[in-house]
mmCIF file of all heavy atoms in Angstrom:
data_model
loop_
_atom_site.group_PDB
_atom_site.id
_atom_site.type_symbol
_atom_site.label_atom_id
_atom_site.label_comp_id
_atom_site.label_asym_id
_atom_site.label_seq_id
_atom_site.Cartn_x
_atom_site.Cartn_y
_atom_site.Cartn_z
ATOM 1 N N VAL A 236 1.091 18.815 -7.725
ATOM 2 C CA VAL A 236 0.060 18.115 -6.973
ATOM 3 C C VAL A 236 0.289 18.368 -5.428
ATOM 4 O O VAL A 236 1.414 18.469 -5.030
ATOM 5 C CB VAL A 236 0.112 16.538 -7.176
ATOM 6 C CG1 VAL A 236 -0.622 16.206 -8.524
ATOM 7 C CG2 VAL A 236 1.515 15.990 -7.125
ATOM 8 N N GLU A 237 -0.836 18.393 -4.760
ATOM 9 C CA GLU A 237 -0.715 18.604 -3.314
ATOM 10 C C GLU A 237 -0.667 17.233 -2.560
ATOM 11 O O GLU A 237 -1.723 16.566 -2.536
ATOM 12 C CB GLU A 237 -1.953 19.341 -2.792
ATOM 13 C CG GLU A 237 -1.756 20.858 -2.813
ATOM 14 C CD GLU A 237 -2.923 21.521 -2.129
ATOM 15 O OE1 GLU A 237 -2.974 21.533 -0.871
ATOM 16 O OE2 GLU A 237 -3.791 21.995 -2.813
ATOM 17 N N VAL A 238 0.450 16.873 -2.063
ATOM 18 C CA VAL A 238 0.576 15.618 -1.297
ATOM 19 C C VAL A 238 1.356 15.922 -0.046
ATOM 20 O O VAL A 238 2.415 16.569 -0.065
ATOM 21 C CB VAL A 238 1.306 14.551 -2.193
ATOM 22 C CG1 VAL A 238 1.413 13.195 -1.366
ATOM 23 C CG2 VAL A 238 0.583 14.318 -3.500
ATOM 24 N N GLU A 239 0.876 15.324 1.071
ATOM 25 C CA GLU A 239 1.528 15.513 2.387
ATOM 26 C C GLU A 239 1.923 14.164 2.957
ATOM 27 O O GLU A 239 1.167 13.202 2.759
ATOM 28 C CB GLU A 239 0.546 16.169 3.374
ATOM 29 C CG GLU A 239 0.180 17.597 3.016
ATOM 30 C CD GLU A 239 1.268 18.573 3.317
ATOM 31 O OE1 GLU A 239 2.123 18.218 4.106
ATOM 32 O OE2 GLU A 239 1.280 19.659 2.646
ATOM 33 N N PRO A 240 2.947 14.101 3.713
ATOM 34 C CA PRO A 240 3.366 12.818 4.359
ATOM 35 C C PRO A 240 2.535 12.611 5.707
ATOM 36 O O PRO A 240 2.334 13.531 6.438
ATOM 37 C CB PRO A 240 4.754 12.998 4.734
ATOM 38 C CG PRO A 240 5.003 14.461 4.926
ATOM 39 C CD PRO A 240 3.913 15.151 4.013
ATOM 40 N N VAL A 241 2.104 11.346 5.921
ATOM 41 C CA VAL A 241 1.506 10.972 7.148
ATOM 42 C C VAL A 241 2.255 9.743 7.691
ATOM 43 O O VAL A 241 2.209 8.672 7.109
ATOM 44 C CB VAL A 241 0.030 10.652 7.026
ATOM 45 C CG1 VAL A 241 -0.561 10.248 8.369
ATOM 46 C CG2 VAL A 241 -0.763 11.890 6.511
ATOM 47 N N LYS A 242 2.982 10.010 8.801
ATOM 48 C CA LYS A 242 3.862 9.001 9.322
ATOM 49 C C LYS A 242 3.160 7.801 9.933
ATOM 50 O O LYS A 242 2.111 7.953 10.623
ATOM 51 C CB LYS A 242 4.815 9.662 10.359
ATOM 52 C CG LYS A 242 5.734 8.697 11.076
ATOM 53 C CD LYS A 242 6.616 9.491 12.098
ATOM 54 C CE LYS A 242 7.408 8.586 12.976
ATOM 55 N NZ LYS A 242 8.143 9.409 13.920
ATOM 56 N N GLY A 243 3.770 6.599 9.744
ATOM 57 C CA GLY A 243 3.272 5.404 10.439
ATOM 58 C C GLY A 243 4.435 4.579 10.966
ATOM 59 O O GLY A 243 5.357 4.348 10.217
ATOM 60 N N GLN A 244 4.353 4.260 12.242
ATOM 61 C CA GLN A 244 5.351 3.372 12.843
ATOM 62 C C GLN A 244 4.824 1.952 12.943
ATOM 63 O O GLN A 244 3.655 1.765 13.208
ATOM 64 C CB GLN A 244 5.751 3.867 14.214
ATOM 65 C CG GLN A 244 6.283 5.294 14.221
ATOM 66 C CD GLN A 244 6.781 5.745 15.591
ATOM 67 O OE1 GLN A 244 7.612 5.027 16.265
ATOM 68 N NE2 GLN A 244 6.355 6.880 16.041
ATOM 69 N N MET A 245 5.741 0.964 12.812
ATOM 70 C CA MET A 245 5.344 -0.401 12.928
ATOM 71 C C MET A 245 6.455 -1.181 13.585
ATOM 72 O O MET A 245 7.521 -0.730 13.685
ATOM 73 C CB MET A 245 5.083 -1.006 11.538
ATOM 74 C CG MET A 245 3.856 -0.451 10.892
ATOM 75 S SD MET A 245 3.327 -1.389 9.403
ATOM 76 C CE MET A 245 3.092 -3.011 10.029
ATOM 77 N N LEU A 246 6.097 -2.437 14.011
ATOM 78 C CA LEU A 246 7.119 -3.274 14.585
ATOM 79 C C LEU A 246 6.758 -4.762 14.256
ATOM 80 O O LEU A 246 5.679 -5.061 13.774
ATOM 81 C CB LEU A 246 7.268 -3.102 16.052
ATOM 82 C CG LEU A 246 6.040 -3.053 16.936
ATOM 83 C CD1 LEU A 246 5.738 -4.461 17.425
ATOM 84 C CD2 LEU A 246 6.316 -2.088 18.079
ATOM 85 N N ALA A 247 7.715 -5.656 14.442
ATOM 86 C CA ALA A 247 7.456 -7.086 14.151
ATOM 87 C C ALA A 247 7.961 -7.951 15.347
ATOM 88 O O ALA A 247 9.036 -7.628 15.892
ATOM 89 C CB ALA A 247 8.228 -7.483 12.892
ATOM 90 N N LEU A 248 7.157 -8.917 15.653
ATOM 91 C CA LEU A 248 7.542 -9.974 16.605
ATOM 92 C C LEU A 248 7.803 -11.286 15.847
ATOM 93 O O LEU A 248 7.188 -11.456 14.772
ATOM 94 C CB LEU A 248 6.501 -10.234 17.591
ATOM 95 C CG LEU A 248 5.918 -9.060 18.428
ATOM 96 C CD1 LEU A 248 4.859 -9.537 19.371
ATOM 97 C CD2 LEU A 248 6.996 -8.316 19.142
ATOM 98 N N GLN A 249 8.703 -12.094 16.374
ATOM 99 C CA GLN A 249 8.773 -13.537 15.834
ATOM 100 C C GLN A 249 7.861 -14.401 16.593
ATOM 101 O O GLN A 249 7.969 -14.414 17.868
ATOM 102 C CB GLN A 249 10.216 -13.959 15.938
ATOM 103 C CG GLN A 249 10.572 -15.139 15.112
ATOM 104 C CD GLN A 249 10.510 -14.934 13.613
ATOM 105 O OE1 GLN A 249 10.749 -13.834 13.185
ATOM 106 N NE2 GLN A 249 10.103 -15.973 12.864
ATOM 107 N N ILE A 250 6.848 -14.964 15.961
ATOM 108 C CA ILE A 250 5.937 -15.800 16.749
ATOM 109 C C ILE A 250 5.919 -17.233 16.311
ATOM 110 O O ILE A 250 6.336 -17.561 15.232
ATOM 111 C CB ILE A 250 4.434 -15.250 16.585
ATOM 112 C CG1 ILE A 250 4.037 -15.352 15.110
ATOM 113 C CG2 ILE A 250 4.316 -13.807 17.077
ATOM 114 C CD1 ILE A 250 2.488 -15.063 14.883
ATOM 115 N N PRO A 251 5.542 -18.155 17.302
ATOM 116 C CA PRO A 251 5.412 -19.561 16.883
ATOM 117 C C PRO A 251 4.353 -19.673 15.818
ATOM 118 O O PRO A 251 3.370 -18.908 15.779
ATOM 119 C CB PRO A 251 4.897 -20.198 18.162
ATOM 120 C CG PRO A 251 5.189 -19.251 19.297
ATOM 121 C CD PRO A 251 5.189 -17.871 18.717
ATOM 122 N N ARG A 252 4.553 -20.580 14.825
ATOM 123 C CA ARG A 252 3.743 -20.749 13.674
ATOM 124 C C ARG A 252 2.241 -20.895 14.134
ATOM 125 O O ARG A 252 2.017 -21.700 15.045
ATOM 126 C CB ARG A 252 4.156 -21.909 12.865
ATOM 127 C CG ARG A 252 3.510 -22.006 11.530
ATOM 128 C CD ARG A 252 4.390 -22.767 10.549
ATOM 129 N NE ARG A 252 5.586 -22.049 10.162
ATOM 130 C CZ ARG A 252 5.701 -21.063 9.334
ATOM 131 N NH1 ARG A 252 4.618 -20.639 8.781
ATOM 132 N NH2 ARG A 252 6.831 -20.456 9.054
ATOM 133 N N GLY A 253 1.343 -20.148 13.554
ATOM 134 C CA GLY A 253 -0.043 -20.344 13.832
ATOM 135 C C GLY A 253 -0.580 -19.637 15.130
ATOM 136 O O GLY A 253 -1.749 -19.691 15.394
ATOM 137 N N LEU A 254 0.292 -18.934 15.825
ATOM 138 C CA LEU A 254 -0.189 -18.307 17.077
ATOM 139 C C LEU A 254 -1.263 -17.271 16.697
ATOM 140 O O LEU A 254 -2.285 -17.157 17.421
ATOM 141 C CB LEU A 254 0.972 -17.585 17.796
ATOM 142 C CG LEU A 254 0.673 -17.089 19.205
ATOM 143 C CD1 LEU A 254 0.520 -18.241 20.173
ATOM 144 C CD2 LEU A 254 1.783 -16.174 19.714
ATOM 145 N N ILE A 255 -1.044 -16.484 15.673
ATOM 146 C CA ILE A 255 -2.119 -15.655 15.170
ATOM 147 C C ILE A 255 -2.268 -16.093 13.644
ATOM 148 O O ILE A 255 -1.263 -16.121 12.986
ATOM 149 C CB ILE A 255 -1.735 -14.142 15.207
ATOM 150 C CG1 ILE A 255 -1.520 -13.662 16.668
ATOM 151 C CG2 ILE A 255 -2.786 -13.297 14.504
ATOM 152 C CD1 ILE A 255 -2.768 -13.633 17.515
ATOM 153 N N GLN A 256 -3.472 -16.381 13.236
ATOM 154 C CA GLN A 256 -3.569 -17.060 11.909
ATOM 155 C C GLN A 256 -3.952 -16.150 10.763
ATOM 156 O O GLN A 256 -3.675 -16.469 9.640
ATOM 157 C CB GLN A 256 -4.563 -18.177 12.061
ATOM 158 C CG GLN A 256 -4.099 -19.197 13.108
ATOM 159 C CD GLN A 256 -4.957 -20.348 13.176
ATOM 160 O OE1 GLN A 256 -5.620 -20.829 12.205
ATOM 161 N NE2 GLN A 256 -4.974 -21.023 14.336
ATOM 162 N N ARG A 257 -4.694 -15.067 11.079
ATOM 163 C CA ARG A 257 -5.089 -14.167 9.974
ATOM 164 C C ARG A 257 -4.992 -12.727 10.445
ATOM 165 O O ARG A 257 -4.665 -12.507 11.666
ATOM 166 C CB ARG A 257 -6.543 -14.439 9.545
ATOM 167 C CG ARG A 257 -7.520 -14.230 10.664
ATOM 168 C CD ARG A 257 -8.937 -14.571 10.299
ATOM 169 N NE ARG A 257 -9.107 -15.979 9.851
ATOM 170 C CZ ARG A 257 -8.948 -17.033 10.596
ATOM 171 N NH1 ARG A 257 -8.587 -16.896 11.898
ATOM 172 N NH2 ARG A 257 -9.115 -18.253 10.104
ATOM 173 N N VAL A 258 -5.237 -11.755 9.589
ATOM 174 C CA VAL A 258 -5.110 -10.393 10.031
ATOM 175 C C VAL A 258 -6.185 -10.079 11.060
ATOM 176 O O VAL A 258 -7.394 -10.447 10.875
ATOM 177 C CB VAL A 258 -5.316 -9.438 8.811
ATOM 178 C CG1 VAL A 258 -5.308 -7.971 9.289
ATOM 179 C CG2 VAL A 258 -4.297 -9.676 7.740
ATOM 180 N N VAL A 259 -5.806 -9.499 12.194
ATOM 181 C CA VAL A 259 -6.699 -9.163 13.268
ATOM 182 C C VAL A 259 -6.658 -7.717 13.559
ATOM 183 O O VAL A 259 -5.510 -7.166 13.756
ATOM 184 C CB VAL A 259 -6.324 -9.915 14.608
ATOM 185 C CG1 VAL A 259 -7.176 -9.495 15.771
ATOM 186 C CG2 VAL A 259 -6.462 -11.462 14.426
ATOM 187 N N TRP A 260 -7.784 -7.024 13.554
ATOM 188 C CA TRP A 260 -7.852 -5.588 13.981
ATOM 189 C C TRP A 260 -8.296 -5.635 15.423
ATOM 190 O O TRP A 260 -9.393 -6.137 15.751
ATOM 191 C CB TRP A 260 -8.868 -4.845 13.092
ATOM 192 C CG TRP A 260 -8.275 -4.382 11.793
ATOM 193 C CD1 TRP A 260 -7.380 -5.052 11.052
ATOM 194 C CD2 TRP A 260 -8.550 -3.147 11.098
ATOM 195 N NE1 TRP A 260 -7.103 -4.344 9.901
ATOM 196 C CE2 TRP A 260 -7.875 -3.180 9.927
ATOM 197 C CE3 TRP A 260 -9.403 -2.089 11.415
ATOM 198 C CZ2 TRP A 260 -7.853 -2.161 9.020
ATOM 199 C CZ3 TRP A 260 -9.491 -1.038 10.497
ATOM 200 C CH2 TRP A 260 -8.706 -1.040 9.284
ATOM 201 N N ALA A 261 -7.513 -4.975 16.260
ATOM 202 C CA ALA A 261 -7.881 -4.890 17.681
ATOM 203 C C ALA A 261 -7.948 -3.361 18.013
ATOM 204 O O ALA A 261 -7.312 -2.565 17.231
ATOM 205 C CB ALA A 261 -6.860 -5.569 18.558
#
Side-chain angles (χ1 to χ4, degrees):
V236 280
E237 269 190 79
V238 182
E239 295 284 339
V241 178
K242 174 180 173 181
Q244 302 186 48
M245 291 194 54
L246 47 91
L248 306 181
Q249 194 66 31
I250 61 167
R252 191 154 294 280
L254 191 70
I255 300 289
Q256 298 186 28
R257 62 183 58 66
V258 177
V259 173
W260 278 36

